[in-house]
Amino acid sequence: MNHTPENRPSNEDPVVAASESVADGADDEVVESNRRLYGGWRWLLFAGLAIAYCVFHLVVLNMFPLETWSFRIIHIAGALILGFGFYAGARFADPQGAPARRVLTSLGYALLVPAGYALVRTVMMYQEMQAGAMRIAPEVETWHFGYPLILATAGAIVLSWGLREARHRINPADLVLMVCALAVAGYLLVIFNSPLRASTGTSFAPVGLTWSGIAGSLLILELTRRVAGLALVIISAIFLTYVFAGPYLPGFLGYPGLSVGRFFSQVYTDTGILGPTTAVSSTYIILFIIFAAFLQASKVGEYFINFAFAAAGRARGGPAKVAIFASGLMGMINGTSAGNVVSTGSLTIPLMKKVGYPGRSAGAIEAAASTGGQIMPPIMGAGAFIMAEVTGIPYTEIAVAALIPAILYFLSVYCMVDFEAARKGMRGMPKEEIPKFRRLVKHVYLFAPIIILIAALFMGYSVIRAGTLATASAAVVSWFSPNKMGLLAILRALHLAGTMAIQIIAVCACAGLIVGVIAMTGVGARFSSLLLGLAGVSQLLALFFAMCISILLGMGMPTTAAYAVAASVVAPGLIEIGIQPLVAHFFVFYFAVVSAITPPVALASYAAAGISGDKAMGTSVASFKVGLAAFIVPFMFFYSPAMLMEGSWLQILRVGVTATLGIVLLAATVQAWFFGPVKAWQRLVMLVGALCMIYGGIYTDVAGLAIGTALFLYQRGRNGGGAQPVTSG
């Protein structure tokens, strides 16, 4: 963690020296406001737990596989224990203020008694089952396990909201929650490794499954609140309310209903929490978080940003173009849009303002570029892994299909930036303020882990094996750089990975809860029938409705959870109306991603506004404008599947080229600048030409090319290839 001392070599290579680097600190760990900062034995304990957690996953995934449900249960339990250890449920106590009230502290320690008793009872039940018992007596599961577990879990959650401790200490309420997480996992392991596993969701299910499901759901919701905010928790609560309120709702929303016992005895299975989202977080996501941590520890992220500055820093509006390149590169190793904004935006936004961009534009450009990192192959912010898990389509096919849309998105943002810089007469950064390209080229081998990852995937290696090879190569490559990874650095990387993984694992488990509700209540199937009815009127109307639902579900949620929920609700309906599974899931995925820059709740834009100093809503609207292409291109997946590499190479080439030209015209339309100022009537004609070429049909391509050529010749003839900037614009 970044509060521990680090010894840096004094003879640093110029590539990382202060005079040659503008990205110092880009790879430093971001410490959230509610993250505890331990010292001494506490730091050693939790650092050791985080390292052990990552090593456990590496060993299981590569050498000694575990039974699937058991592995996922341990995966979630480990994240809960680490999460409650690292993240506080309330603000920290003021170091100079009064200590926590003794009554609350004593109550926290008192709750350790029922929590510990439930854990001890779990051990006793395991011994009983091992001795040959077919099942545990219901009264034992209720009185000696269920009631103490629920009392401790609910009591500790409520207590943690008001119990404030110093930042370097853990409060007793969180110790209780850690014990409860162990008790839930222990009971589930006992039951799911016995014949009783087949009884989930029936009247024969052990009552302890219901208690474990309730307690486990509460623990997941509370950790999600701490690490991802209230948005996902509120949406989960709405879905959980629907389970029991649904039978009383009219028409489309009504369903026969589920009892508390039946629902909660099945929600902690592969129908819900242990389903596709946790399947992905326990394999691909945790592995690529470890990979990202190794890259971060070897300062590859700083190199990416320095490389982007050297390549684009001197161009007009240079820092904005750097933000695009850097965010695309960092997006390959960063799992969230807002996290990408924080890591690159803290460098690029102040520099954009320095060369003349208003704070709102600077924040909007960074938010849009960082959001694009989520659709950039090969990692795609973990969304591709969930797509592969849900659809059964090989991951490599998904990564290839994402290539043209990702290029179009970043080209769109680049053109928006370039045209705005031209319109306002902006210049690039001075030569002496950017790293020297010839020196950075000497360290181009730092791209090797990414290249090895891509090569291994396309050579036929599994995603897990490819990710492991890439992680190992990151350590090996570092030995040729100034930031060599020895044993201590590797342990620091594993520690970093353990803490980085908590948020995404909690989010995936919480999304699994929502997916379970959708599966058990059948609301997804009813939504499919609604889309089918709309498609009978107009497929475009059905797609528009699906877009609105995907964005609505994704507002305020991390990308992974947004896609997981939308894939359960919206994608089946799109497939039902005849859209190919790959096209349907990409459509949903894109709108789940761009919900991060869609007003009114735009997480990436809010993060950028915090750095730029502008208003959050204004930045959200501006980032929506910059990322406009991402709201148009997904519709073209349906009308022109060649954009997703579906079709002959000639079709793919034609669609790729014309869509590229269309994106340039779209950016010119938005920024009112092509080779000079663009009048209102020209913008309208440009918009028509842009949409014609993005659409992808032969006749529309010809029409779009004709419009684009005519406007190009008109602008060149009128402005002679350029025009004086309109500085007031």
Side-chain angles (χ1 to χ4, degrees):
M1 295 173 69
N2 67 352
H3 62 286
T4 56
E6 289 189 17
N7 297 319
R8 290 181 177 268
S10 58
N11 56 337
E12 285 189 339
D13 189 278
V15 73
V16 291
S19 60
E20 294 295 336
S21 173
V22 293
D24 290 337
D27 280 317
D28 290 348
E29 184 182 1
V30 177
V31 179
E32 298 83 350
S33 60
N34 67 331
R35 169 100 74 84
R36 294 186 175 96
L37 300 178
Y38 293 117
W41 67 268
R42 294 184 185 90
W43 183 86
L44 289 173
L45 172 63
F46 282 97
L49 288 174
I51 291 167
Y53 184 68
C54 291
V55 170
F56 164 76
H57 283 86
L58 288 172
V59 170
V60 171
L61 291 174
N62 289 283
M63 290 183 283
F64 304 108
L66 275 180
E67 190 275 325
T68 304
W69 283 19
S70 299
F71 175 53
R72 294 176 190 174
I73 289 166
I74 296 170
H75 167 75
I76 293 175
L80 289 171
I81 291 168
L82 286 174
F84 292 125
F86 279 117
Y87 292 92
R91 288 178 299 157
F92 294 109
D94 186 347
Q96 281 77 42
R101 282 181 286 180
R102 193 169 296 175
V103 173
L104 294 180
T105 303
S106 301
L107 186 57
Y109 283 117
L111 286 173
L112 278 171
V113 176
Y117 182 67
L119 181 59
V120 169
R121 268 294 170 179
T122 300
V123 175
M124 294 172 66
M125 285 187 276
Y126 169 73
Q127 293 172 340
E128 193 174 336
M129 295 292 285
Q130 289 295 104
M134 296 302 294
R135 64 187 301 141
I136 308 298
E139 57 272 17
V140 171
E141 290 187 315
T142 299
W143 288 97
H144 296 275
F145 173 73
Y147 287 168
L149 178 64
I150 298 299
L151 172 65
T153 302
I157 288 173
V158 173
L159 189 61
S160 71
W161 299 341
L163 188 54
R164 297 172 60 187
E165 290 278 6
R167 195 165 190 175
H168 67 281
R169 296 171 61 88
I170 185 169
N171 69 49
D174 287 340
L175 285 176
V176 173
L177 295 176
M178 293 162 75
V179 174
C180 290
L182 275 176
V184 169
Y187 178 83
L188 293 173
L189 288 171
V190 170
I191 299 301
F192 288 158
N193 285 286
S194 75
L196 291 171
R197 170 171 169 162
S199 67
T200 57
T202 70
S203 57
F204 301 102
V207 69
L209 281 179
T210 300
W211 298 119
S212 294
I214 294 171
S217 299
L218 288 173
L219 291 168
I220 289 167
L221 288 168
E222 170 60 13
L223 182 57
T224 303
R225 182 191 70 82
R226 296 186 186 192
V227 299
L230 276 172
L232 182 54
V233 176
I234 291 170
I235 291 171
S236 301
I238 291 170
F239 274 89
L240 287 171
T241 303
Y242 173 71
V243 173
F244 307 109
Y248 307 102
L249 296 177
F252 166 75
L253 291 174
Y255 86 105
L258 290 167
S259 67
V260 172
R262 184 178 173 192
F263 174 76
F264 281 107
S265 71
Q266 195 173 3
V267 75
Y268 221 118
T269 67
D270 60 359
T271 303
I273 294 170
L274 301 183
T277 54
T278 297
V280 171
S281 74
S282 63
T283 50
Y284 308 135
I285 291 178
I286 184 69
L287 182 61
F288 280 94
I289 286 174
I290 295 171
F291 174 52
F294 270 67
L295 291 180
Q296 210 166 316
S298 57
K299 303 296 180 186
V300 170
E302 287 184 12
Y303 178 76
F304 282 174
I305 296 173
N306 282 325
F307 194 90
F309 269 103
R314 295 188 65 192
R316 63 186 180 195
K321 292 174 180 175
V322 168
I324 298 167
F325 288 120
S327 297
L329 291 170
M330 290 293 284
M332 293 192 292
I333 63 172
N334 194 315
T336 65
S337 301
N340 207 352
V341 168
V342 172
S343 60
T344 59
S346 56
L347 300 166
T348 59
I349 290 174
L351 288 170
M352 279 189 261
K353 292 171 72 175
K354 184 178 177 182
V355 300
Y357 282 97
R360 179 167 299 180
S361 292
I365 290 164
E366 179 57 49
S370 292
T371 298
Q374 303 292 288
I375 58 176
M376 171 63 76
I379 297 176
M380 297 169 63
F385 303 127
I386 294 182
M387 196 184 298
E389 183 75 21
V390 171
T391 62
I393 298 169
Y395 167 79
T396 47
E397 286 187 26
I398 291 171
V400 169
L403 197 56
I404 292 177
I407 291 170
L408 292 177
Y409 181 83
F410 279 101
L411 175 66
S412 168
V413 177
Y414 182 91
C415 290
M416 294 273 190
V417 164
D418 188 60
F419 292 151
E420 183 177 1
R423 179 164 53 87
K424 294 182 176 179
M426 295 180 187
R427 298 184 180 276
M429 295 171 64
K431 182 179 179 180
E432 58 273 11
E433 289 186 13
I434 61 175
K436 288 183 170 54
F437 191 78
R438 65 176 182 273
R439 287 181 173 169
L440 286 171
V441 167
K442 295 177 183 177
H443 298 268
V444 75
Y445 56 80
L446 290 172
F447 282 103
I450 301 288
I451 295 169
I452 287 170
L453 170 65
I454 296 169
L457 287 170
F458 285 95
M459 286 170 63
Y461 286 91
S462 69
V463 175
I464 290 171
R465 185 55 53 88
T468 305
L469 288 172
T471 302
S473 71
V476 172
V477 164
S478 74
W479 299 341
F480 301 95
S481 77
N483 301 290
K484 297 176 177 61
M485 290 186 70
L487 179 60
L488 285 177
I490 289 172
L491 291 177
R492 274 200 300 270
L494 291 171
H495 175 204
L496 175 62
T499 54
M500 286 168 61
I502 294 168
Q503 185 198 49
I504 194 69
I505 293 169
V507 163
C508 284
C510 197
L513 192 61
I514 298 172
V515 170
V517 172
I518 293 166
M520 283 186 265
T521 60
V523 68
R526 290 194 296 282
F527 184 83
S528 296
S529 65
L530 179 63
L531 276 185
L532 199 58
L534 285 173
V537 178
S538 165
Q539 284 193 318
L540 181 61
L541 180 62
L543 288 171
F544 180 78
F545 184 67
M547 175 196 76
C548 293
I549 297 298
S550 298
I551 292 175
L552 186 65
L553 289 172
M555 280 187 178
M557 291 170 62
T559 304
T560 309
Y563 169 65
V565 174
S568 299
V569 176
V570 182
L574 294 176
I575 294 168
E576 192 76 22
I577 65 175
I579 297 175
Q580 298 174 36
L582 181 66
V583 174
H585 279 271
F586 258 101
F587 183 90
V588 168
F589 176 63
Y590 260 66
F591 287 116
V593 168
V594 298
S595 65
I597 55 170
T598 306
V601 184
L603 291 183
S605 301
Y606 288 0
I611 299 171
S612 69
D614 197 76
K615 292 181 180 178
M617 186 54 65
T619 303
S620 301
V621 173
S623 58
F624 173 82
K625 184 179 79 169
V626 173
L628 184 62
F631 295 87
I632 297 173
V633 168
F635 286 92
M636 301 308 113
F637 299 161
F638 173 67
Y639 295 108
S640 183
M643 200 172 282
L644 294 176
M645 302 288 189
E646 296 281 313
S648 68
W649 279 107
L650 191 61
Q651 286 177 308
I652 293 168
L653 182 63
R654 176 181 61 80
V655 167
V657 170
T658 55
T660 298
L661 296 173
I663 287 295
V664 174
L665 279 185
L666 180 66
T669 302
V670 173
Q671 295 293 3
W673 186 275
F674 198 25
F675 286 91
V678 178
K679 296 178 180 177
W681 70 267
Q682 292 173 321
R683 293 176 75 181
L684 184 61
V685 175
M686 261 185 189
L687 179 61
V688 173
L691 293 177
C692 283
M693 284 194 278
I694 295 171
Y695 180 82
I698 293 176
Y699 297 113
T700 55
D701 281 350
V702 171
L705 284 169
I707 292 171
T709 303
L711 286 168
F712 171 77
L713 294 173
Y714 178 80
Q715 285 269 318
R716 293 284 290 187
R718 186 180 178 85
N719 300 310
Q724 292 300 312
V726 183
T727 53
S728 63

